[in-house]
CSV table of all heavy atoms in Angstrom, one decimal:
chain,number,residue,atom,x,y,z
A,1393,ARG,N,157.5,175.5,25.2
A,1393,ARG,CA,158.1,174.4,24.2
A,1393,ARG,C,159.6,174.8,24.0
A,1393,ARG,O,160.5,173.9,23.9
A,1393,ARG,CB,157.4,174.3,23.0
A,1393,ARG,CG,156.0,173.6,23.2
A,1393,ARG,CD,155.4,173.2,21.8
A,1393,ARG,NE,155.2,174.4,20.9
A,1393,ARG,CZ,154.1,174.9,20.9
A,1393,ARG,NH1,153.0,174.7,21.6
A,1393,ARG,NH2,153.8,176.1,20.0
A,1394,THR,N,159.8,176.2,23.8
A,1394,THR,CA,161.1,176.7,23.6
A,1394,THR,C,162.1,176.3,24.7
A,1394,THR,O,163.2,176.0,24.5
A,1394,THR,CB,161.1,178.2,23.3
A,1394,THR,OG1,160.2,178.4,22.2
A,1394,THR,CG2,162.5,178.7,23.0
A,1395,HIS,N,161.7,176.5,25.8
A,1395,HIS,CA,162.4,176.2,27.1
A,1395,HIS,C,162.7,174.7,27.2
A,1395,HIS,O,163.9,174.3,27.5
A,1395,HIS,CB,161.7,176.5,28.4
A,1395,HIS,CG,161.5,178.1,28.6
A,1395,HIS,ND1,160.8,178.7,29.6
A,1395,HIS,CD2,162.3,179.1,28.1
A,1395,HIS,CE1,161.1,180.0,29.6
A,1395,HIS,NE2,161.9,180.3,28.7
A,1396,SER,N,161.8,173.9,26.8
A,1396,SER,CA,161.9,172.5,26.7
A,1396,SER,C,163.0,172.0,25.7
A,1396,SER,O,163.8,171.2,25.9
A,1396,SER,CB,160.6,171.7,26.5
A,1396,SER,OG,160.9,170.3,26.4
A,1397,VAL,N,162.9,172.6,24.4
A,1397,VAL,CA,163.9,172.3,23.4
A,1397,VAL,C,165.3,172.8,23.9
A,1397,VAL,O,166.2,171.9,23.7
A,1397,VAL,CB,163.5,173.1,22.2
A,1397,VAL,CG1,164.5,173.1,21.1
A,1397,VAL,CG2,162.2,172.5,21.6
A,1398,ILE,N,165.6,173.9,24.6
A,1398,ILE,CA,166.8,174.3,25.0
A,1398,ILE,C,167.4,173.4,26.1
A,1398,ILE,O,168.5,173.0,26.1
A,1398,ILE,CB,166.8,175.7,25.6
A,1398,ILE,CG1,166.4,176.8,24.5
A,1398,ILE,CG2,168.0,176.1,26.3
A,1398,ILE,CD1,166.2,178.3,24.9
A,1399,ALA,N,166.4,172.9,27.0
A,1399,ALA,CA,166.8,172.0,28.1
A,1399,ALA,C,167.3,170.7,27.3
A,1399,ALA,O,168.3,170.0,27.8
A,1399,ALA,CB,165.7,171.7,28.8
A,1400,ASN,N,166.7,170.2,26.3
A,1400,ASN,CA,167.0,168.9,25.8
A,1400,ASN,C,168.3,169.1,25.1
A,1400,ASN,O,169.2,168.2,25.0
A,1400,ASN,CB,165.8,168.5,24.7
A,1400,ASN,CG,164.7,168.0,25.4
A,1400,ASN,OD1,164.7,167.6,26.5
A,1400,ASN,ND2,163.6,168.2,24.6
A,1401,LEU,N,168.5,170.3,24.4
A,1401,LEU,CA,169.8,170.5,23.8
A,1401,LEU,C,171.1,170.3,24.7
A,1401,LEU,O,172.1,170.0,24.2
A,1401,LEU,CB,169.9,171.9,23.1
A,1401,LEU,CG,168.9,172.0,21.8
A,1401,LEU,CD1,168.9,173.5,21.4
A,1401,LEU,CD2,169.4,171.1,20.7
A,1402,VAL,N,170.8,170.8,25.9
A,1402,VAL,CA,171.9,170.7,26.9
A,1402,VAL,C,171.8,169.5,27.7
A,1402,VAL,O,172.5,169.5,28.8
A,1402,VAL,CB,172.0,172.0,27.7
A,1402,VAL,CG1,172.2,173.2,26.9
A,1402,VAL,CG2,170.7,172.1,28.6
A,1403,GLY,N,171.1,168.5,27.3
A,1403,GLY,CA,171.0,167.2,28.1
A,1403,GLY,C,170.0,167.3,29.1
A,1403,GLY,O,170.0,166.4,30.1
A,1404,VAL,N,168.9,168.1,29.0
A,1404,VAL,CA,167.7,168.3,29.8
A,1404,VAL,C,168.2,168.6,31.2
A,1404,VAL,O,167.6,169.6,31.8
A,1404,VAL,CB,166.9,166.9,29.9
A,1404,VAL,CG1,165.7,167.0,30.8
A,1404,VAL,CG2,166.6,166.5,28.4
A,1405,VAL,N,168.9,167.9,31.9
A,1405,VAL,CA,169.3,168.2,33.3
A,1405,VAL,C,170.9,168.3,33.3
A,1405,VAL,O,171.5,167.1,33.1
A,1405,VAL,CB,168.8,167.2,34.4
A,1405,VAL,CG1,169.4,167.6,35.7
A,1405,VAL,CG2,167.3,167.2,34.2
A,1406,LEU,N,171.4,169.4,33.6
A,1406,LEU,CA,172.8,169.5,33.7
A,1406,LEU,C,173.3,169.3,35.2
A,1406,LEU,O,172.8,170.0,36.0
A,1406,LEU,CB,173.4,170.9,33.3
A,1406,LEU,CG,173.1,171.1,31.8
A,1406,LEU,CD1,173.6,172.6,31.5
A,1406,LEU,CD2,174.0,170.2,30.9
A,1407,LYS,N,174.0,168.2,35.6
A,1407,LYS,CA,174.4,168.0,36.9
A,1407,LYS,C,175.3,169.1,37.5
A,1407,LYS,O,176.1,169.5,36.8
A,1407,LYS,CB,175.0,166.6,37.0
A,1407,LYS,CG,174.1,165.5,36.5
A,1407,LYS,CD,174.9,164.1,36.6
A,1407,LYS,CE,174.0,163.0,36.2
A,1407,LYS,NZ,174.6,161.7,36.2
A,1408,GLU,N,174.9,169.4,38.7
A,1408,GLU,CA,175.8,170.5,39.3
A,1408,GLU,C,177.2,170.1,39.6
A,1408,GLU,O,178.0,170.9,39.6
A,1408,GLU,CB,175.0,170.8,40.8
A,1408,GLU,CG,173.7,171.4,40.8
A,1408,GLU,CD,173.8,172.8,40.2
A,1408,GLU,OE1,174.9,173.5,40.3
A,1408,GLU,OE2,172.9,173.3,39.6
A,1409,GLU,N,177.4,168.7,39.6
A,1409,GLU,CA,178.8,168.4,39.9
A,1409,GLU,C,179.6,168.5,38.6
A,1409,GLU,O,180.9,168.3,38.6
A,1409,GLU,CB,178.9,167.1,40.5
A,1409,GLU,CG,178.4,165.8,39.9
A,1409,GLU,CD,176.9,165.6,40.0
A,1409,GLU,OE1,176.3,166.6,40.6
A,1409,GLU,OE2,176.5,164.5,39.8
A,1410,GLU,N,179.1,168.5,37.4
A,1410,GLU,CA,179.7,168.5,36.1
A,1410,GLU,C,180.6,169.8,36.2
A,1410,GLU,O,180.2,170.9,36.6
A,1410,GLU,CB,178.7,168.6,34.9
A,1410,GLU,CG,178.2,167.2,34.8
A,1410,GLU,CD,177.1,167.2,33.6
A,1410,GLU,OE1,176.6,168.3,33.4
A,1410,GLU,OE2,177.1,166.2,33.0
A,1411,THR,N,181.8,169.7,35.6
A,1411,THR,CA,182.8,170.7,35.5
A,1411,THR,C,182.3,171.9,34.6
A,1411,THR,O,182.0,171.5,33.5
A,1411,THR,CB,184.1,170.3,35.1
A,1411,THR,OG1,184.6,169.2,35.9
A,1411,THR,CG2,185.1,171.3,35.2
A,1412,PHE,N,182.3,173.1,35.2
A,1412,PHE,CA,182.0,174.2,34.4
A,1412,PHE,C,182.9,175.3,34.8
A,1412,PHE,O,182.6,176.1,35.5
A,1412,PHE,CB,180.5,174.7,34.6
A,1412,PHE,CG,180.2,175.9,33.8
A,1412,PHE,CD1,180.4,175.9,32.5
A,1412,PHE,CD2,179.6,177.1,34.5
A,1412,PHE,CE1,180.0,177.2,31.7
A,1412,PHE,CE2,179.3,178.2,33.8
A,1412,PHE,CZ,179.6,178.1,32.5
A,1413,TYR,N,184.2,175.4,34.2
A,1413,TYR,CA,185.2,176.2,34.7
A,1413,TYR,C,185.3,177.5,33.6
A,1413,TYR,O,185.4,177.2,32.5
A,1413,TYR,CB,186.5,175.6,34.7
A,1413,TYR,CG,186.6,174.5,35.8
A,1413,TYR,CD1,186.7,173.2,35.4
A,1413,TYR,CD2,186.5,175.0,37.1
A,1413,TYR,CE1,186.9,172.2,36.5
A,1413,TYR,CE2,186.5,174.0,38.2
A,1413,TYR,CZ,186.8,172.6,37.8
A,1413,TYR,OH,186.8,171.6,38.8
A,1414,ASP,N,185.4,178.6,34.2
A,1414,ASP,CA,185.7,179.8,33.3
A,1414,ASP,C,186.1,180.9,34.2
A,1414,ASP,O,185.4,181.3,35.1
A,1414,ASP,CB,184.5,180.3,32.4
A,1414,ASP,CG,185.0,181.2,31.4
A,1414,ASP,OD1,185.1,182.4,31.8
A,1414,ASP,OD2,185.0,180.8,30.3
A,1415,GLU,N,187.3,181.4,34.1
A,1415,GLU,CA,187.9,182.3,35.0
A,1415,GLU,C,187.2,183.7,35.0
A,1415,GLU,O,187.3,184.4,36.0
A,1415,GLU,CB,189.4,182.4,34.8
A,1415,GLU,CG,190.2,181.2,35.1
A,1415,GLU,CD,191.7,181.5,34.8
A,1415,GLU,OE1,192.0,182.6,34.2
A,1415,GLU,OE2,192.5,180.5,35.0
A,1416,ASP,N,186.6,183.9,33.9
A,1416,ASP,CA,185.8,185.3,33.8
A,1416,ASP,C,184.6,185.3,34.6
A,1416,ASP,O,184.3,186.4,35.0
A,1416,ASP,CB,185.4,185.4,32.3
A,1416,ASP,CG,186.5,185.5,31.3
A,1416,ASP,OD1,187.5,185.8,31.8
A,1416,ASP,OD2,186.3,185.5,30.2
A,1417,LEU,N,184.0,184.2,34.9
A,1417,LEU,CA,182.7,184.2,35.7
A,1417,LEU,C,182.9,183.8,37.2
A,1417,LEU,O,183.8,183.0,37.6
A,1417,LEU,CB,181.9,183.3,35.0
A,1417,LEU,CG,181.4,183.4,33.6
A,1417,LEU,CD1,180.5,182.4,33.1
A,1417,LEU,CD2,181.0,184.9,33.4
A,1418,SER,N,182.2,184.4,38.1
A,1418,SER,CA,182.2,184.1,39.4
A,1418,SER,C,181.3,182.8,39.6
A,1418,SER,O,180.6,182.4,38.7
A,1418,SER,CB,181.5,185.2,40.3
A,1418,SER,OG,180.2,185.3,40.0
A,1419,GLU,N,181.5,182.2,40.8
A,1419,GLU,CA,180.8,181.0,41.1
A,1419,GLU,C,179.2,181.3,41.0
A,1419,GLU,O,178.6,180.3,40.5
A,1419,GLU,CB,181.1,180.5,42.5
A,1419,GLU,CG,182.5,179.9,42.7
A,1419,GLU,CD,182.8,178.7,41.6
A,1419,GLU,OE1,182.0,177.9,41.4
A,1419,GLU,OE2,183.8,178.8,40.9
A,1420,ALA,N,178.9,182.5,41.5
A,1420,ALA,CA,177.4,182.6,41.3
A,1420,ALA,C,176.9,182.9,39.9
A,1420,ALA,O,175.8,182.3,39.5
A,1420,ALA,CB,177.1,184.0,42.0
A,1421,GLU,N,177.8,183.4,39.1
A,1421,GLU,CA,177.5,183.6,37.7
A,1421,GLU,C,177.5,182.2,36.9
A,1421,GLU,O,176.7,182.0,36.1
A,1421,GLU,CB,178.4,184.5,37.0
A,1421,GLU,CG,178.2,186.0,37.5
A,1421,GLU,CD,179.3,186.8,37.3
A,1421,GLU,OE1,180.4,186.3,36.7
A,1421,GLU,OE2,179.4,188.1,37.4
A,1422,LYS,N,178.3,181.3,37.2
A,1422,LYS,CA,178.4,180.0,36.8
A,1422,LYS,C,177.0,179.2,37.1
A,1422,LYS,O,176.3,178.6,36.3
A,1422,LYS,CB,179.5,179.2,37.2
A,1422,LYS,CG,180.9,179.7,36.8
A,1422,LYS,CD,182.0,178.9,37.5
A,1422,LYS,CE,183.4,179.6,37.1
A,1422,LYS,NZ,184.5,178.9,37.8
A,1423,ARG,N,176.5,179.4,38.3
A,1423,ARG,CA,175.4,178.7,38.7
A,1423,ARG,C,174.1,179.3,37.9
A,1423,ARG,O,173.3,178.5,37.4
A,1423,ARG,CB,175.1,178.8,40.2
A,1423,ARG,CG,176.1,178.1,41.1
A,1423,ARG,CD,175.5,178.0,42.5
A,1423,ARG,NE,175.3,179.3,43.1
A,1423,ARG,CZ,176.1,179.9,43.8
A,1423,ARG,NH1,177.3,179.4,44.0
A,1423,ARG,NH2,175.9,181.2,44.4
A,1424,ILE,N,174.2,180.6,37.8
A,1424,ILE,CA,173.1,181.2,36.9
A,1424,ILE,C,173.1,180.7,35.6
A,1424,ILE,O,172.0,180.5,35.0
A,1424,ILE,CB,173.1,182.7,37.1
A,1424,ILE,CG1,173.0,183.3,38.5
A,1424,ILE,CG2,172.2,183.4,36.1
A,1424,ILE,CD1,171.7,183.1,39.1
A,1425,ALA,N,174.3,180.7,34.9
A,1425,ALA,CA,174.5,180.3,33.6
A,1425,ALA,C,174.0,178.9,33.4
A,1425,ALA,O,173.2,178.6,32.3
A,1425,ALA,CB,175.9,180.4,33.1
A,1426,ARG,N,174.3,178.0,34.3
A,1426,ARG,CA,173.8,176.6,34.2
A,1426,ARG,C,172.2,176.6,34.2
A,1426,ARG,O,171.6,175.7,33.5
A,1426,ARG,CB,174.2,175.7,35.4
A,1426,ARG,CG,175.7,175.4,35.0
A,1426,ARG,CD,176.1,174.2,36.0
A,1426,ARG,NE,176.3,174.6,37.4
A,1426,ARG,CZ,177.4,175.1,38.0
A,1426,ARG,NH1,178.6,175.0,37.3
A,1426,ARG,NH2,177.4,175.5,39.3
A,1427,GLU,N,171.6,177.4,35.1
A,1427,GLU,CA,170.1,177.5,35.1
A,1427,GLU,C,169.5,178.0,33.7
A,1427,GLU,O,168.4,177.6,33.4
A,1427,GLU,CB,169.7,178.2,36.3
A,1427,GLU,CG,170.1,177.6,37.7
A,1427,GLU,CD,169.6,176.4,37.9
A,1427,GLU,OE1,168.4,176.0,37.7
A,1427,GLU,OE2,170.6,175.5,38.2
A,1428,VAL,N,170.2,179.0,33.3
A,1428,VAL,CA,169.7,179.6,32.0
A,1428,VAL,C,169.8,178.5,31.0
A,1428,VAL,O,168.9,178.4,30.1
A,1428,VAL,CB,170.6,180.8,31.6
A,1428,VAL,CG1,170.4,181.2,30.0
A,1428,VAL,CG2,170.5,181.9,32.5
A,1429,ALA,N,170.9,177.7,30.8
A,1429,ALA,CA,170.9,176.6,29.9
A,1429,ALA,C,169.9,175.5,30.0
A,1429,ALA,O,169.6,174.9,29.1
A,1429,ALA,CB,172.4,176.0,30.0
A,1430,LYS,N,169.4,175.5,31.3
A,1430,LYS,CA,168.2,174.5,31.4
A,1430,LYS,C,166.9,175.0,30.9
A,1430,LYS,O,165.9,174.2,30.7
A,1430,LYS,CB,168.1,174.1,33.0
A,1430,LYS,CG,169.3,173.5,33.6
A,1430,LYS,CD,169.0,173.2,35.1
A,1430,LYS,CE,170.2,172.7,35.8
A,1430,LYS,NZ,170.1,172.5,37.1
A,1431,GLY,N,166.9,176.2,30.4
A,1431,GLY,CA,165.7,176.8,29.9
A,1431,GLY,C,164.9,177.4,30.9
A,1431,GLY,O,163.7,177.8,30.6
A,1432,PHE,N,165.4,177.7,32.2
A,1432,PHE,CA,164.5,178.2,33.2
A,1432,PHE,C,164.3,179.8,33.0
A,1432,PHE,O,165.3,180.4,32.5
A,1432,PHE,CB,165.1,178.0,34.6
A,1432,PHE,CG,165.0,176.5,34.9
A,1432,PHE,CD1,165.9,176.0,35.9
A,1432,PHE,CD2,164.0,175.7,34.5
A,1432,PHE,CE1,165.9,174.7,36.3
A,1432,PHE,CE2,163.9,174.4,34.8
A,1432,PHE,CZ,164.8,173.9,35.7
A,1433,SER,N,163.2,180.3,33.4
A,1433,SER,CA,163.0,181.8,33.3
A,1433,SER,C,163.8,182.4,34.4
A,1433,SER,O,164.2,181.7,35.5
A,1433,SER,CB,161.5,182.1,33.4
A,1433,SER,OG,161.0,181.8,34.7
A,1434,ASN,N,163.9,183.8,34.5
A,1434,ASN,CA,164.5,184.4,35.6
A,1434,ASN,C,163.8,184.1,36.9
A,1434,ASN,O,164.5,184.0,38.0
A,1434,ASN,CB,164.7,185.9,35.4
A,1434,ASN,CG,165.7,186.3,34.3
A,1434,ASN,OD1,166.3,185.4,33.7
A,1434,ASN,ND2,165.7,187.6,33.9
A,1435,LYS,N,162.6,184.2,36.9
A,1435,LYS,CA,161.7,183.8,38.2
A,1435,LYS,C,162.0,182.6,38.6
A,1435,LYS,O,162.1,182.3,39.9
A,1435,LYS,CB,160.3,184.1,38.0
A,1435,LYS,CG,159.5,184.1,39.4
A,1435,LYS,CD,158.2,184.5,39.1
A,1435,LYS,CE,157.4,184.7,40.5
A,1435,LYS,NZ,157.7,183.5,41.4
A,1436,GLU,N,162.1,181.6,37.8
A,1436,GLU,CA,162.3,180.1,38.2
A,1436,GLU,C,163.7,180.0,38.6
A,1436,GLU,O,163.9,179.2,39.6
A,1436,GLU,CB,162.0,179.2,37.0
A,1436,GLU,CG,160.6,179.1,36.5
A,1436,GLU,CD,160.5,178.4,35.2
A,1436,GLU,OE1,161.3,178.5,34.3
A,1436,GLU,OE2,159.3,177.8,34.9
């Protein structure tokens, strides 16, 4: 349920093409951050 609430807070599904720029993070880290925001576990 917690994962579901987090996903809803960020719009349930964050589209990959949406802009997520931050010079501090690598492209791989940006992808991981987006998945974390969806409420997914590390294994997922």
Side-chain angles (χ1 to χ4, degrees):
R1393 289 195 299 270
T1394 300
H1395 286 170
S1396 177
V1397 168
I1398 292 175
N1400 288 332
L1401 287 174
V1402 297
V1404 183
V1405 177
L1406 297 175
K1407 296 178 181 179
E1408 289 295 329
E1409 64 268 23
E1410 289 179 322
T1411 305
F1412 176 57
Y1413 295 114
D1414 192 284
E1415 294 180 358
D1416 292 347
L1417 304 181
S1418 68
E1419 289 303 317
E1421 289 162 355
K1422 293 173 187 176
R1423 290 196 300 271
I1424 297 294
R1426 283 193 289 264
E1427 298 303 308
V1428 169
K1430 294 176 186 177
F1432 292 153
S1433 68
N1434 288 354
K1435 188 173 189 312
E1436 289 169 332

